[in-house]
Amino acid sequence: AQSVTQPDIHITVSEGASLELRCNYSYGATPYLFWYVQSPGQGLQLLLKYFSGDTLVQGIKGFEAEFKRSQSSFNLRKPSVHWSDAAEYFCAVGGMAAGNKLTFGGGTRVLVKP
Amino acid sequence: DAEITQSPRHKITETGRQVTLACHQTWNHNNMFWYRQDLGHGLRLIHYSYGVHDTNKGEVSDGYSVSRSNTEDLPLTLESAASSQTSVYFCASSVGGGSSYNEQFFGPGTRLTVL
């Protein structure tokens, strides 16, 4: 069965500092990996996705993620955080073997200090 | 523009009542999904459909049902609402069919409170 683990429930970061959110997955076939962001009271917005090819993926809002197959990881990074990045972030895995279904991690809530 | 909408956005109901949450998409997507979001659990799949008249159980389907009578709509019914079903519910859709994976697009969510 597929699963996603986001080890950090909360992260506090100062504005302007770098941010890295961890994501580890378990999937028995070729994984498709996603990062979504949810601002307070809002729906989910796709930040970036990895299907194949270059393992470093660029997304919206200055985010990037690196797929490391050997570590079963897909960590999200941003070099310099803005106050508007305060939100909850979800990593998800899916694929054809899972019938196009997504499995989400528990989420990481990011707080940004001024 | 094509979109996916959910209604109502907020709902308060009482234990034991039947509740139906609506999901409507205008992308003509074959695949539709219902998730619930709870603190610490992320989003968990309730039911999903790959096309008209097709429905499947997800990870947390007990107490919920869906039906797919057309491409655009996948209503979620709570047969007898329980306090444990207090949650935020998200609907999603994707193209479906073919041999490639398709990205899911999410609705704005419905916050349901069962008293």
Side-chain angles (χ1 to χ4, degrees):
Chain A
Q2 60 199 68
S3 64
V4 177
T5 302
Q6 293 180 246
D8 304 304
I9 297 174
H10 296 280
I11 286 182
T12 300
V13 60
S14 297
E15 192 168 14
S18 64
L19 174 69
E20 181 167 12
L21 304 183
R22 295 183 290 165
C23 172
N24 293 98
Y25 69 90
S26 173
Y27 191 74
T30 301
Y32 299 115
L33 295 156
F34 305 82
W35 275 100
Y36 287 88
V37 60
Q38 184 182 32
S39 298
Q42 302 298 311
L44 276 75
Q45 181 181 22
L46 181 67
L47 282 176
L48 48 78
K49 60 189 177 187
Y50 172 78
F51 279 13
S52 64
D54 192 346
T55 56
L56 186 62
V57 181
Q58 301 298 319
I60 62 171
K61 304 185 178 186
F63 284 92
E64 66 178 25
E66 185 171 12
F67 171 57
K68 293 185 176 180
R69 184 184 298 274
S70 61
Q71 298 178 18
S72 297
S73 69
F74 189 56
N75 293 349
L76 181 72
R77 298 192 292 257
K78 185 169 185 177
S80 178
V81 169
H82 187 262
W83 64 266
S84 60
D85 293 322
E88 188 151 23
Y89 294 80
F90 294 96
C91 181
V93 66
M96 294 298 293
N100 274 269
K101 300 189 298 293
L102 283 177
T103 297
F104 285 82
T108 298
R109 184 170 297 277
V110 173
L111 303 175
V112 180
K113 295 190 301 183
Chain B
D1 285 345
E3 60 178 355
I4 181 167
T5 57
Q6 294 183 234
S7 62
R9 294 295 311 278
H10 301 271
K11 174 78 175 178
I12 299 175
T13 191
E14 296 177 342
T15 300
R17 290 190 180 270
Q18 183 181 78
V19 176
T20 297
L21 309 182
C23 175
H24 180 80
Q25 51 95 4
T26 59
W27 278 305
N28 202 33
H29 285 171
N30 288 319
N31 299 346
M32 296 185 73
F33 307 85
W34 272 105
Y35 297 87
R36 60 177 289 174
Q37 181 183 20
D38 304 289
L39 195 64
H41 291 279
L43 279 75
R44 292 179 291 176
L45 184 63
I46 305 171
H47 281 286
Y48 57 101
S49 167
Y50 291 142
V52 177
H53 302 309
D54 176 74
T55 61
N56 305 278
K57 294 182 178 180
E59 178 188 0
V60 289
S61 60
D62 287 350
Y64 304 94
S65 64
V66 293
S67 63
R68 187 92 179 268
S69 59
N70 58 50
T71 300
E72 296 79 19
D73 299 290
L74 187 69
L76 177 71
T77 297
L78 286 67
E79 303 293 344
S80 177
S83 58
S84 60
Q85 295 176 308
T86 293
S87 186
V88 180
Y89 291 85
F90 287 98
C91 181
S93 71
S94 65
V95 172
S99 59
S100 61
Y101 185 84
N102 307 122
E103 174 186 337
Q104 290 185 22
F105 297 86
F106 285 80
T110 294
R111 182 174 295 277
L112 176 67
T113 302
V114 182
L115 302 176

